[in-house]
Amino acid sequence: MSSERYDFSAIEKKWQKRWFADRTYEPDLTGAEKPFYNLMMFPYPSAEGLHVGNMYAFTGADIYGRKKRMEGYDVFEPIGLDGFGIHSENYALKIGAHPMKQAKISETRFYEQLSAIGNGFAWEEKLETYDPKYYRWTQWVFVQLWKHGLAYRKKQAVNWCPSCKTVLADEQVIAGKCERCGSEAEMKNLEQWFFRITKYVDRLLANLEKIDWSERVKIAQRNWIGKSEGALIKFSIFNSPFSIDVFTTRPDTLYGATYVVLAPEHPLVATLPIKNRAEVEQYVKAAARKSEADRIAEGREKTGAELKGVKAINPANKEEIPIFIADYVLATYGTGAIMAVPAHDERDRDFARAFDLPVSDAPLVDGRKVVKEVGGKWETNFRLRDWLISRQRYWGVPIPMIFCEACAAAGKGEQKGMPGWYAVPEEELPVELPYVEDFRPKGKGESPLASAPEFYRAKCPGCGADARRETDVSDTFLDSAWYYLRYPSTRSVRGEQIPWDPAITKKWFPVNLYTGGAEHSVLHLLYVRFIAMVFHDLGFLHFEEPFPKFRAHGLLISEGAKMSKSKGNVVNPDEYISKYGADVLRMYLMFLAPFEQGGDFRDASIQGIVRFLERVWRIFQNGSVGERDPLMRTLHRTIKKVTSDIEAFQYNTAISALMILANEMETAGSSEDVREAFLKLLAPFAPHLAEELWERMGHTTSIHREKWPLYDEALVHEDTFPLVVQVNGRRRATIEATRGIMKHEAEELARADEKVGRALAEGEVKTVVYVKDRLINFVMKSI
RNA sequence: GCCCAGGUGGCGGAAUGGUAUACGCGCAGGACUCAAAAUCCUGUGGCCGCAAGGUCUUGUGGGUUCGAGUCCCACCCUGGGCACCA
């Protein structure tokens, strides 16, 4: 018996090096016969390094991919860095570094860490979003949207983060706060670039029914899209040519509408002949100053102002009713005006109470009929708004647009309604982000690039006159909205001339499995679907849903709370990898709870996995027992369980099954066959150890390219089963019985049991329920 | 307020409507050791009992069923998401 120690550190380093040199995880991108694209959300290297939560996510995805590879698929598991954008820039600001230099440092660090976790990454196809070779195509994506009328510029009230000093998309404002830094977002009226995601709203919603995604993520997208069906009803204004269109989902309450409310920003406010103009304008101004957060902080007490001198007419009962403006009505939803029904709507009731308005007790009517009677029109509204792309920051993809004063004055331009604006010609891409010493956000609604004349000076692509480049950069979520399309084409010869190679794309898409965090439900996962639909419609992609199967992993918490630096409970994987090894950490993370559930990281129980892998090591140090094998049935049961558990992302129970098998191998001994099969089952979870023991068994090729074991259904069960005998549903005995016995045989066996006999003697048997190969239940008459 | 997910031993968790508590952690006792660590063995939900055994137990209360952690109804609690969207 050898007593060689399990030197995980040497073993893991050895195999990581060998796999890389042997290109073990590099599929043949052009010739693969059974492509399987196993994609995981790439990390943003914003902080000190990889988070144990990243490792949790990557390991879970990798296990699935490793099994697929062993099932004969050509698995492609790429990795990269989402290193452009506010998160990386904020980190650079915090540590006083320049983001362009810091990116290189973070890159080295992240790639080192990502190498150490033992995933089957296809390193040759890695990409970084801040690489001009990559963002050249991000700009190209922008240009395509522009050319097809899906990118436009518009002045409107937008979210502004006073700390990040930039505008934000609606999706990046969480409960009134900036998604990145947590500052309260303000509203500002600014001219910005938008993507017309709302054009795709119907498909974004309808396709959710067709894709296999974690249900909670689908629900989040549905809520965010916020479809509601209702009616558009016209309220004319007494003695006036004007009228107000309102949107309501409850036309059946029309008789109870006792006043009308406009959003403070509603255009009619300026037009109507209002008597108390000064008072109204004061309210409009006050409302404009308020941030979302302010409004929430006020406890939603209703404020507003009556528009004196005008009255609206309820089209149902022809009554004259007052008109108000109030900030509880949003300018950006519906028509920016509502009919108020204080009897049926809580918000209207609150407002009516604050302003002492009468509440009507008019009964409900048939909504369909009343809409017809008053000449209303059925309409569907969505809460989803267009995607705000501009950011007044430095560290991002420059928006590839040029504005020409001369053309604007002459009304010339590339797109209707956008005089003076031209896309940078595609052959001139990328518009490279220049190194700028003072990259800090300025807070004046302009990017730092607006202070760099050598950057913004350009010639107009239309007329050749001196013109000015757009100086804002694009939202980071644009970088990640198409990255998955680039991976397989990064090394393609044609990848120099086109963003994604059509032949390779046809072969590898759509992505077979996408794994990532649920926190991106309405951010990344919505944008990426939108961009895919656009390129599908433009004929560049053969699919419109990029990820037919998506699984959200659970959240890994620590000490009962979400890991965060301020709480000081962030777990760094490095120390665990150096102390226990990547295989132990991988298995520990996967063992603590179901993958889709997440769990609490406690190092106390990591010892169980340490013991397990050391036991496995020990088993393989001892010789095998030869041909006759007592473990065949346990083995086949384990193969079945591990196979189906991996498919269902239930890695915790798969590991438990492996433990049971290993325990039996240690006590009963195991043959070569059992050992080989065991190592294969272990390989996705502990790839280094499995590979090492595989080699020591005399194999010269990688276990990760071996065939996944198959089970024999006939061997999954024992010949006997424990027959549970119940009397009135209470267990009285357990008898070893032959599988497949008939009811009368089981009954005979059961009656022969002394305790059962005693229980049956107490009454008369009414019925006997027999569940094959499981239990028999005597139901007594007395009950 | 609305929408999800969940509530099971001291802890993480396991259970196609069919032996609740698999697997692991922890704990207790034992073996090995001069000793410790490591390892191995045994035990480990509560209550009653010397024991055999009995009995109760999956957030609470009802229901369906021969049989409910699992299905139905009501409620309580925790975590997450959305939130003045008409």
Side-chain angles (χ1 to χ4, degrees), chain A residues 469-599:
Chain A
R469 273 185 207 290
E470 170 65 67
T471 53
D472 282 354
V473 297
S474 57
D475 181 7
T476 324
F477 282 95
L478 181 58
D479 305 81
S480 56
W482 77 280
Y483 75 114
Y484 67 104
L485 293 168
R486 182 65 183 168
Y487 276 134
S489 296
T490 43
R491 291 188 308 128
S492 140
V493 186
R494 302 204 52 203
E496 287 292 310
Q497 298 106 44
I498 44 174
W500 53 84
D501 182 306
I504 291 179
T505 301
K506 187 93 184 103
K507 187 181 270 298
W508 288 92
F509 291 87
V511 169
N512 298 79
L513 173 66
Y514 196 32
T515 312
E519 69 272 19
H520 286 297
S521 300
V522 294
L523 288 158
H524 168 62
L525 286 169
L526 194 62
Y527 299 143
V528 79
R529 293 180 60 216
F530 159 60
I531 294 293
M533 279 176 198
V534 170
F535 283 96
H536 168 263
D537 290 358
L538 297 183
F540 287 106
L541 298 174
H542 60 284
F543 54 90
E544 63 175 36
E545 284 297 336
F547 313 128
K549 181 169 180 167
F550 169 74
R551 285 295 176 276
H553 62 254
L555 187 66
L556 193 64
I557 59 174
S558 159
E559 293 157 31
K562 196 171 166 172
M563 290 186 203
S564 78
K565 258 165 281 160
S566 55
K567 287 197 199 90
N569 62 349
V570 174
V571 178
N572 180 334
D574 298 13
E575 51 183 293
Y576 288 91
I577 290 178
S578 59
K579 189 168 173 194
Y580 301 106
D583 282 346
V584 164
L585 184 53
R586 286 169 66 96
M587 290 197 80
Y588 168 65
L589 290 173
M590 294 303 109
F591 186 58
L592 58 83
F595 183 54
E596 292 182 79
Q597 181 187 304

Side-chain angles (χ1 to χ4, degrees), chain A residues 28 56 104 132 134 186 203 216 220 239 247 251-252 273 283 285 301 379 392-393 398 463 476 478 502 531 603 676:
Chain A
D28 177 355
Y56 180 74
K104 285 287 150 196
Y134 177 81
E186 298 169 359
R203 268 151 84 194
R216 57 193 161 127
N239 268 347
F247 174 73
D252 56 324
Y283 182 78
K285 265 190 208 149
E301 266 172 46
E379 200 186 69
Q392 290 73 43
R393 297 284 293 225
C463 69
T476 324
L478 181 58
I531 294 293
D603 38 347
E676 289 198 351

Side-chain angles (χ1 to χ4, degrees), chain A residues 704-768:
Chain A
H704 301 298
R705 295 195 160 272
E706 282 296 318
K707 281 231 164 0
W708 186 253
L710 299 173
Y711 63 90
D712 179 349
E713 188 64 46
L715 288 174
V716 166
H717 303 285
E718 303 290 340
D719 296 331
T720 60
F721 73 98
L723 173 69
V724 173
V725 184
Q726 295 182 337
V727 177
N728 284 335
R730 309 185 78 91
R731 187 170 60 92
R732 291 296 157 184
T734 308
I735 305 164
E736 194 78 354
T738 312
R739 290 189 74 81
I741 55 167
M742 306 299 288
K743 183 177 178 181
H744 69 271
E745 296 173 285
E747 192 172 334
E748 214 171 293
L749 268 174
R751 284 183 184 277
D753 185 90
E754 190 198 336
K755 269 175 289 181
V756 175
R758 220 185 301 139
L760 291 181
E762 282 171 26
E764 201 178 326
V765 175
K766 195 170 72 180
T767 26
V768 180

Side-chain angles (χ1 to χ4, degrees), chain A residues 89 92-93 97-99 393-395 436-442 448:
Chain A
E89 188 180 321
L93 281 166
H98 192 284
R393 297 284 293 225
Y394 166 71
W395 188 238
V436 168
E437 194 55 49
D438 183 10
F439 66 89
R440 287 170 305 166
K442 300 291 174 285

